Amino acid sequence: MNFRTFAAFVGPSIVMMLLFIAFPLISVFTQSFYITQPIYEVVEVETCTPGFLTQTCVTEENSVPILDEHGEIVTKTEFVGLQSYRNVLELDRVWTAFREGSWTAFQTIDFWKALRFTLTFTLITLPLNLGVGLGIALMINNAAKSIRGPVIFISLLPFIITPVIGALSINWLFRGDGILTAIMEWYSGRDIALFAQAWTIEILMMLYRVWHVAPFAGIVLYAGLQTVNQDSLESALIDGASRWQRMRYVIIPHLMPLITFISMIHLMDSYRVFEEIVGFSSQGHVISLQWLTYDFLVPDQAGNRSISRASASAMLTMVGIVILLIAPLRRTWRDHKGSN
Amino acid sequence: MKFRSLLLAGAVAMSAGAAFADCAYENTTPLTSLSAGFEAWKAVTDAMAECGNFTASLDQEFREKQPEAFAANPSLYQIGGVANATLIPLLNAGSIRPLDDLIATYGQNLTPNQMIQIDGTTYAIAMAVNAQHLMYRTDILADLNLEVPTTYAEVLAAAQVIRDAGVVEYPLGGTFKTGWNLGEEFVNMYLGEGGEFFADGNMPAINNPQGIAALETLLAMTEFMDPEYLVSDSTYVQQQFQQGKIAMANLWATRAAAMNDEAESEVVGLVGMASAPMGSAAPASSLWWDGIVLAANMTDEEAEAAFQVALEGIDNEMVAANNDTAVWLVSGYQPGELAAGAAGTAQNGAVPYPASGPMGIMHTELGNGLADYLNGNKDAATALADIEAAYITAAQEAGLIQ
């Protein structure tokens, strides 16, 4: 392929990536070092609001933003260095909690509370996702040819459902006296409240995530199973390898590149866990890093939002993903070099 | 088939024509509105639509769109629906217009109580008030010979009796969902204790005996509530009432009509309305209003049309048709039994929600920070101190504290 053709094929994609990934990323990165805020003046105002029958009027000092001649709010932008990162990380509170040796105090600091959950969530769902995915792949592979199509379709269904909708339906099945909680209560004969403490919510979230993503792992691994060398399998069989040994020494090594691929996708996806927090409305007990960024961004009723802290928190989330990806990336790199 | 659909189209056209005739003002200017999406706004915007050339956006996330949409020139919406707090960003940005000249020309039917005035200039017309007040099961209280509680001590005592009698699953309900709802619960309690949120220079001032008293009452209430209270919002509490699972709750006046909705409720006619229980200074509630603003960035002709259409939306015909949907401030409103709670709360001296820029941040931090106290991870003083610290960080970033 000559260079012109190559450029014509790749060009649009590079432009898109620059436009929608690189530039926003740079913009977020810069914003995390700056603070933009309106300039306020303090004025005394009398505000009258309706009561049930008569008006209530109060006179008080209010901070009111200054407007320029076009009626726009005057703002100033200031370089603050790492201030926003400090505000997100709250290292002084971490240090106090550490000195007191109090895990509870440590876990009341938003960022670290979110990081703890995000990491637990990511690292526990990873092996479950791979295990269940492999199970689904084997199930499809062993299904009779005539029903294989429907089996693939049905096992892919959870993956097709929109994440927020899926999380909400699980929420409704278990919340309060939802059907499944009611069944569990009837079976165990005691009052069960799954949304009253953190650990039950966390388990529900993890189960939901595995239910949602395992079909994807399953379908990728099923594709891999089609290319397993039948001769190796046959010779293993002749050597007297058990079912488990064939799995352990022939099939899994063959699937390893795919397993690394699925792990990487899963690490990236589940480190950005967000839909579960919203769908299960778990903010009172459990929050994630992505949710924290979102919470900084949402304006309150008076219109204030924390763009700088949101940017800092987003950058920190990205750093976290990169650190998690180092191990599988190094493995891929080694395999790649080895195969050359 | 063809004949039937023709007949149907004719009927629709006729009813549209009849609806059109309901409006005293025939509107020829294309107008749009953006407001929250609850029942009262639906009634009001439907009445506005009768004047023609009008489309309404009813959106529960309107507060995120409204400041930007009204700052555009020309504004994307001519009419806006706001409440105490959502008025602030529009007022700050100067994107809503003073209404005094329009009121002088067209507003003869408005009452002085409906005007929201800043330094004597009217910026919004209120249509209804809303407040959280006590709702209780009249049959349960009567069976157990309980008086309607007027203070939180009495609420807790009554809850104990109800639990001992075992008539409902949980004696109390509460809008304790983490976030805005939980923040509002604290605001109500703290105002009931007579607390002030801010000291000079927008510095926070909630870590005091009133704040701790407010927190302790909230915690005492959770004892009698569904243990999943941190996910329970207004709709959830309303359903708990409708399904007969709770006996008392401090719930929004706009939810009162749902108690007697025969399609949903098992307790029709059994839920009584009373003033919000008293704190040591005032009822533990805050008064909210819902009202109408007009965008600054439109022509005067558009503003005149928009104002007349808006007035048609909140006239007494609309109120006559939707009397129990809200506690209307419009003349012609007949306060029924359902309004007794909101009226009592106001008469006992509940104060308006103290909306301001700093209060917006404070409300968010309260909503996020109180769960740690209710979960038992922090004591009351630590929780309040941490909320103050979080407030200071956010307020500094917003430029409200130097």
Side-chain angles (χ1 to χ4, degrees), chain A residues 145-303:
Chain A
K145 269 245 163 59
S146 56
I147 58 160
R148 204 169 281 179
V151 169
I152 293 180
F153 176 71
I154 289 170
S155 52
L156 267 181
L157 275 182
F159 187 63
I160 298 169
I161 292 174
T162 315
V164 173
I165 304 296
L168 273 178
S169 11
I170 303 272
N171 180 351
W172 288 327
L173 285 175
F174 285 101
R175 164 124 155 237
D177 287 333
I179 301 175
L180 293 181
T181 311
I183 291 176
M184 282 159 65
E185 283 178 348
W186 168 79
Y187 184 76
S188 67
R190 38 189 252 184
D191 192 27
I192 294 174
L194 289 169
F195 286 82
Q197 55 280 315
W199 65 272
T200 40
I201 303 182
E202 286 183 34
I203 290 177
L204 279 181
M205 284 179 177
M206 290 182 203
L207 288 178
Y208 164 71
R209 177 55 72 107
V210 173
W211 175 78
H212 178 59
V213 295
F216 174 70
I219 215 72
V220 172
L221 293 175
Y222 169 68
L225 284 177
Q226 307 315 301
T227 59
V228 173
N229 189 332
Q230 293 302 317
D231 295 343
S232 327
L233 269 185
E234 229 165 81
S235 39
L237 204 58
I238 292 167
D239 288 344
S242 69
R243 206 184 162 79
W244 165 246
Q245 282 167 327
R246 270 176 283 150
M247 186 78 189
R248 172 77 187 77
Y249 296 106
V250 182
I251 295 179
I252 291 200
H254 176 75
L255 294 179
M256 212 54 208
L258 289 178
I259 291 179
T260 316
F261 163 73
I262 295 168
S263 304
M264 275 165 51
I265 299 278
H266 184 78
L267 286 176
M268 285 191 275
D269 269 353
S270 52
Y271 198 78
R272 291 181 289 117
V273 46
F274 176 71
E275 297 91 342
E276 282 84 350
I277 306 284
V278 174
F280 288 72
S281 41
S282 72
Q283 302 90 300
H285 300 282
V286 173
I287 57 173
S288 73
L289 290 173
Q290 186 87 339
W291 186 85
L292 194 64
T293 309
Y294 163 81
D295 194 45
F296 286 137
L297 269 183
V298 176
D300 61 42
Q301 290 204 320

Side-chain angles (χ1 to χ4, degrees), chain A residues 6-38:
Chain A
F6 176 75
F9 271 112
V10 174
S13 152
I14 288 184
V15 170
M16 293 284 194
M17 275 168 70
L18 284 176
L19 203 62
F20 295 114
I21 299 178
F23 294 147
L25 208 64
I26 294 169
S27 146
V28 170
F29 183 69
T30 353
Q31 275 184 52
S32 69
F33 296 103
Y34 287 89
I35 281 185
T36 303
Q37 46 187 217

Side-chain angles (χ1 to χ4, degrees), chain A residues 37 45-48 50-55 63 93 175-176 193-196 281 284 295 299-301 304 306 308-309, chain B residues 63 85 92 112-113 115-117 119 170 178 202 227-228 231 327 343 357 360-361 364 368 375 378 386 394 396-397 399:
Chain A
Q37 46 187 217
V45 285
E46 186 194 29
T47 314
C48 293
F52 183 62
L53 294 171
T54 50
Q55 263 186 337
S63 297
R93 283 180 67 195
R175 164 124 155 237
L194 289 169
F195 286 82
S281 41
D295 194 45
D300 61 42
Q301 290 204 320
N304 307 297
S306 307
S308 306
R309 273 191 294 167
Chain B
R63 68 189 163 104
N92 278 349
N113 187 26
M115 318 289 175
I116 286 98
Q117 289 166 329
D119 278 339
Y170 308 103
T178 328
N202 294 328
E228 295 177 355
V231 292
V327 182
I361 297 178
T364 307
N368 286 344
N375 285 338
K378 285 177 188 171
D386 286 351
Q396 272 170 345
E397 189 173 336

Side-chain angles (χ1 to χ4, degrees), chain B residues 170-238:
Chain B
Y170 308 103
L172 293 183
T175 50
F176 276 45
K177 182 177 176 176
T178 328
W180 195 88
N181 286 285
L182 187 55
E184 177 67 10
E185 287 292 333
F186 178 86
V187 170
N188 287 344
M189 285 292 177
Y190 189 65
L191 289 175
E193 293 297 320
E196 292 278 339
F197 287 91
F198 300 103
D200 285 346
N202 294 328
M203 291 304 281
I206 54 164
N207 192 2
N208 53 32
Q210 286 112 318
I212 291 177
L215 279 187
E216 282 169 351
T217 313
L218 290 179
L219 185 66
M221 286 170 71
T222 62
E223 285 286 302
F224 297 102
M225 287 167 27
D226 185 331
E228 295 177 355
Y229 54 82
L230 285 180
V231 292
S232 108
D233 56 11
S234 311
T235 306
Y236 192 70
V237 177
Q238 174 193 320

Side-chain angles (χ1 to χ4, degrees), chain A residues 55-98:
Chain A
Q55 263 186 337
T56 338
C57 294
V58 282
T59 306
E60 57 189 1
E61 293 202 326
N62 272 359
S63 297
V64 179
I66 299 173
L67 303 182
D68 64 14
E69 65 270 29
H70 308 296
E72 306 273 335
I73 294 176
V74 184
T75 58
K76 63 166 186 220
T77 302
E78 213 180 331
F79 179 79
V80 291
L82 293 171
Q83 183 62 44
S84 298
Y85 289 89
R86 275 197 291 274
N87 287 343
V88 171
L89 291 172
E90 300 187 76
L91 290 175
D92 46 340
R93 283 180 67 195
V94 173
W95 181 235
T96 316
F98 182 68

